[in-house]
Amino acid sequence: MPRAVHAALRHPEYYVPGLAADEVAQRYGLRLDDIIKLGSAENPYGPSPAAQAAVADAVGRMQIYPSWTAEPLRERLAETYGYEPGNYLCGAGETEIISVLIRAYAAQGEPVLMPAPCFPMYHLFAEAEGRVADLRCEATDPQTMAVDIDAYIAAVRPEHKIVFVTNPHSPSGTWTAEGDLRRVIEAASHCLVVLDEAYVHYSGDPGGIGLVAEYPNLVVLRTFSKVHGLAGLRLGFGVAQSEVIDALLAAKPTWNVGQLQIAGGVAALGDHEFVQRTVEVICDARAYAQELFDTKLDRFRCVEGSRSNFFLIELLDRELDSSGVWQSLLERGVITKDGAVSFRGLGHRFLRADVGFRERMDRLVAALGDIP
């Protein structure tokens, strides 16, 4: 008889990713070319061309162990964003760094604070590690779906070990101003504040990396999965004062970032033209999608204020629910995220959809309008 798994994993909950296009095509008998994937916030242009070339060149080095700290990437990050290489931690996506942060800064049974709904990996990792995920639904404004900073600050307690903030927020894409970020960081000065900026490139704001110099309790996370188009490569980083990074280096898996990831990340940071083109197209399509919802649909609302590459769709027709609409969209070759299963606390009145090219926004709106 194998040894029993620890209590937190006896009834595990798993992350629900956006469906793959080939799976939907096979399930519904559709042509793969007719599927539009708007459920994973991926880059519609694909990966950074510079990163592709660098990864191909690095294939011949796969027999060699990488730097255990991903030092070439840390050096490039320092050149790009400031600070020293020792202020950076690299990981297999932001998600791995989130798991390391939870292990390093919260012990068994200790609470970790987050607004609800939020990126599910915050509470999934916390619960899987036997920590207490303190989700606060009252910290989300039910009309704007933005984080209510006053309510969130009021929820901070001395026993909290980590406080999560996402900017732009997921799943709403709404933005928290720097002044409000500072208020959260200062209200939680007794613990670690994790500022997740996975989607910051689409916000029109440089983000909070500059705050790291001022706040020893702050770590800022970013990813290569979104604007750089490297979701399949799995690469992210955190930046914090050296005392934080030193502790995290001891807690992370030793060779967690491989040769291909390092090469791709270094090259992607220099591919400014690709990043700029992606941001311009996504921001244009985001405004276009808002206009389509405002003028062509009366049973669905595009929640305003997204500064990300996705937005929330609210179901105004009380006869509809998110799971049913999600299913109907799949049948029409449109993949979105069902808020009821993808985001704890979001309920059955919302879908999340990616911002894609304009023609994809046309398809989405047409499919919604076709639902009886």
Side-chain angles (χ1 to χ4, degrees):
M1 174 70 70
R3 185 177 179 182
V5 70
H6 76 74
L9 292 177
R10 288 174 190 159
H11 303 284
E13 179 182 349
Y14 302 104
Y15 179 72
V16 181
L19 291 179
D22 55 355
E23 178 183 350
V24 173
Q26 183 176 12
R27 183 187 302 180
Y28 297 102
L30 301 171
R31 293 177 59 246
L32 186 59
D33 290 346
D34 290 336
I35 307 296
I36 61 167
K37 188 178 180 185
L38 302 175
S40 301
E42 294 164 344
N43 191 320
Y45 279 118
S48 155
Q52 288 187 74
V55 168
D57 183 64
V59 166
R61 300 195 298 275
M62 286 193 297
Q63 83 283 8
I64 302 171
Y65 277 102
S67 160
W68 78 277
T69 59
E71 205 60 24
L73 182 54
R74 295 173 96 195
E75 291 171 358
R76 188 57 181 267
L77 287 165
E79 293 171 6
T80 303
Y81 294 110
Y83 305 109
E84 298 297 323
N87 293 112
Y88 290 89
L89 178 79
C90 301
E94 266 194 19
T95 49
E96 182 180 52
I97 298 174
I98 291 167
S99 71
V100 173
L101 285 164
I102 289 170
R103 289 200 304 273
Y105 278 86
Q108 291 277 323
E110 292 183 328
V112 176
L113 182 68
M114 60 205 74
C118 65
F119 181 42
M121 298 314 302
Y122 304 156
H123 60 81
L124 292 178
F125 275 136
E127 291 160 347
E129 297 280 359
R131 281 64 170 169
V132 177
D134 186 0
L135 289 96
R136 295 299 180 122
C137 291
E138 71 273 17
T140 297
D141 185 298
Q143 179 62 28
T144 67
M145 298 306 294
V147 176
D148 181 331
I149 294 299
D150 290 333
Y152 197 45
I153 288 173
V156 176
R157 298 286 182 268
E159 58 267 26
H160 286 128
K161 299 302 179 182
I162 301 174
V163 171
F164 280 100
V165 182
T166 315
N167 206 29
H169 189 60
S170 179
S172 63
T174 52
W175 184 254
T176 299
E178 181 181 305
D180 285 332
L181 289 178
R182 289 178 178 274
R183 292 173 58 208
V184 174
I185 298 165
E186 291 164 8
S189 59
H190 64 285
C191 69
L192 190 72
V193 174
V194 178
L195 174 57
D196 183 347
E197 293 189 333
Y199 307 96
V200 73
H201 291 88
Y202 303 107
S203 70
D205 191 281
I209 286 181
L211 299 176
V212 166
E214 300 181 47
Y215 295 106
N217 66 319
L218 176 65
V219 56
V220 178
L221 304 184
R222 292 202 180 176
T223 182
F224 288 85
S225 297
K226 306 306 176 183
V227 78
H228 298 293
L230 302 181
L233 199 60
R234 307 309 307 133
L235 186 61
F237 68 91
V239 54
Q241 294 192 14
S242 57
E243 184 177 342
V244 173
I245 299 299
D246 290 346
L248 297 177
L249 286 173
K252 81 171 184 69
T254 305
W255 292 288
N256 60 325
V257 178
Q259 295 281 15
L260 305 189
Q261 294 157 292
I262 293 170
V266 169
L269 287 170
D271 200 348
H272 305 298
E273 181 180 345
F274 178 77
V275 169
Q276 182 177 353
R277 179 178 60 162
T278 297
V279 170
E280 288 175 354
V281 167
I282 292 300
C283 290
D284 171 76
R286 189 172 64 202
Y288 179 68
Q290 181 72 63
E291 180 182 0
L292 287 178
F293 272 81
D294 292 345
T295 58
K296 295 186 178 296
L297 297 172
D298 56 10
R299 296 193 298 160
F300 304 94
R301 176 177 79 99
C302 177
V303 176
E304 296 183 9
S306 175
R307 291 173 64 172
S308 186
N309 63 337
F310 56 77
F311 54 90
L312 279 178
I313 301 169
E314 182 178 9
L315 283 57
L316 303 177
D317 186 340
R318 305 305 294 185
E319 298 297 315
L320 300 174
D321 70 87
S322 61
S323 297
V325 173
W326 176 79
Q327 180 71 39
S328 294
L329 289 175
L330 290 180
E331 294 167 1
R332 291 161 174 79
V334 178
I335 303 172
T336 58
K337 270 189 179 291
D338 176 7
V341 299
S342 294
F343 298 98
R344 192 184 296 178
L346 189 55
H348 293 266
R349 307 303 309 160
F350 294 92
L351 303 170
R352 200 190 83 175
D354 301 350
V355 178
F357 299 128
R358 282 189 172 214
E359 54 267 30
R360 296 185 184 181
M361 300 297 92
D362 289 331
R363 277 282 305 279
L364 170 63
V365 169
L368 287 168
D370 190 46
I371 294 174

